[in-house]
Amino acid sequence: MNNRPIGVFDSGLGGLTVLKELQKTLPNENFIYIGDTAHVPYGNKSKGSIYNFSKKIINYLNTHNIKLIVAACNTVSSTILSDIKRITPIPIIDVITPLGDFFSSQKIKKIGVIGTRNTIKSNFYNRLIKKYNSKSEIFSKACPMFVPIIESGLSNHKIARIMGEEYLEELINNNIDFLVLGCTHYPLLKPMLKQILPKNIAVVDSASVTAHYIQKHLLAKDSLSSNNAPGKIEIKITDNSTEFNKEAKLFFDNKLNDI
């Protein structure tokens, strides 16, 4: 058993979708979440900048005696994962690799992947999907405006719908069977995306898959918390953000402590 907290980080709000699933799956664990609001979005930054931002966050988390780090950012996961694993002896789990179990259990003919420019450019998803479904056709689309829209609190605004229709048109026309949300921000747009997508297209995101993957990891390492009481969530951001505070508290039904 291991009662040390789990560190989770993202460029901003998106990783909260992973944090919420982690809390649901591992209710007795303590979490420290870092949202890098000073540098969001990561999707249009250089690899060097993303590495430097992540390094500072990881070094900070290391001062809090954590047992595990979750890189709850697809851009980090797809571009610098091997680099940041060398920063710390603490295990780091990303939010893309856990989807291997999902892809291995599905026979997928046509799959669409949406993400930030850096995630799509990395081809990380394409390689993972081809590893398990070599005959799948993959159609990728960078959606650079989605993260700024979400971080600005405009997920339910008509601008989100307009951009969604623009980004998804090509994928829909290619008759995809699955749409992978290749950014932890994007589940916040699910209601809008489901209005645009034909009903036969299944939407896949990594939040719950990652949470169960981490549960298995902790169980295998005998590192689950022995606490009987619900764990605590501590959320920190790197710059003041009224929208982050508002959206985060709404997302957790106003049950969060001060950010």
Side-chain angles (χ1 to χ4, degrees):
M1 294 297 175
N2 188 332
N3 294 332
R4 290 151 58 197
I6 297 171
V8 184
F9 78 94
D10 179 47
S11 63
L13 274 166
L16 294 179
T17 60
V18 178
L19 179 62
K20 191 168 185 177
E21 289 297 328
L22 283 168
Q23 184 194 35
K24 189 188 300 182
T25 306
L26 300 163
N28 299 327
E29 298 288 345
N30 295 316
F31 297 97
I32 299 173
Y33 180 92
I34 311 292
D36 192 8
T37 48
H39 301 114
V40 66
Y42 282 5
N44 59 1
K45 304 291 194 300
S46 69
K47 285 178 70 172
S49 292
I50 298 165
Y51 173 81
N52 288 332
F53 303 152
S54 301
K55 182 178 179 180
K56 288 181 180 180
I57 292 170
I58 289 167
N59 287 340
Y60 176 81
L61 287 171
N62 280 337
T63 67
H64 285 69
N65 195 31
I66 54 171
K67 63 183 176 184
L68 179 70
I69 295 173
V70 182
C73 172
N74 293 74
T75 301
V76 169
S77 299
S78 63
T79 60
I80 59 163
L81 184 63
S82 59
D83 298 317
I84 60 173
K85 283 185 173 182
R86 290 193 284 268
I87 295 172
T88 175
I90 304 295
I92 297 179
I93 292 178
D94 67 287
V95 289
I96 303 180
T97 304
L99 282 170
D101 289 343
F102 170 80
F103 293 133
S104 66
S105 67
Q106 303 287 330
K107 289 186 178 179
I108 303 169
K109 293 180 180 178
K110 294 185 176 184
I111 187 164
V113 180
I114 57 175
T116 66
R117 282 198 181 102
N118 280 329
T119 296
I120 297 303
K121 186 179 177 182
S122 74
N123 283 320
F124 197 105
Y125 274 101
N126 296 49
R127 292 194 299 272
L128 185 67
I129 294 166
K130 285 293 185 180
K131 180 179 177 181
Y132 297 102
N133 287 270
S134 60
K135 295 182 180 179
S136 292
E137 286 187 76
I138 305 167
F139 303 91
S140 302
K141 183 72 176 177
C143 305
M145 288 301 297
F146 275 168
V147 171
I149 284 170
I150 293 164
E151 291 286 336
S152 300
L154 298 173
S155 299
N156 298 314
H157 193 276
K158 62 182 178 182
I159 189 70
R161 173 76 184 233
I162 290 168
M163 294 312 303
E165 290 173 346
E166 172 73 20
Y167 288 144
L168 295 177
E169 181 180 13
E170 182 182 341
L171 301 182
I172 292 170
N173 289 342
N174 280 311
N175 298 311
I176 59 172
D177 305 302
F178 288 85
L179 177 68
V180 175
L181 306 186
C183 175
T184 52
H185 279 75
Y186 294 177
L188 297 167
L189 295 173
K190 262 187 181 178
M192 176 273 291
L193 295 173
K194 287 188 174 181
Q195 288 175 10
I196 296 171
L197 292 167
K199 287 185 168 46
N200 63 299
I201 297 176
V203 177
V204 182
D205 73 75
S206 59
S208 84
V209 175
T210 299
H212 286 96
Y213 183 94
I214 289 169
Q215 182 184 43
K216 288 180 183 177
H217 169 85
L218 293 174
L219 191 59
K221 300 290 184 182
D222 193 26
S223 291
L224 288 168
S225 171
S226 61
N227 292 329
N228 292 320
K232 296 178 181 178
I233 293 179
E234 192 175 348
I235 295 184
K236 299 171 182 285
I237 53 178
T238 55
D239 195 16
N240 290 332
S241 172
T242 303
E243 286 302 331
F244 183 101
N245 292 359
K246 184 176 74 174
E247 294 292 324
K249 287 180 178 180
L250 281 174
F251 196 58
F252 281 89
D253 301 320
N254 291 310
K255 293 176 183 177
L256 290 178
N257 294 325
D258 288 340
I259 296 169

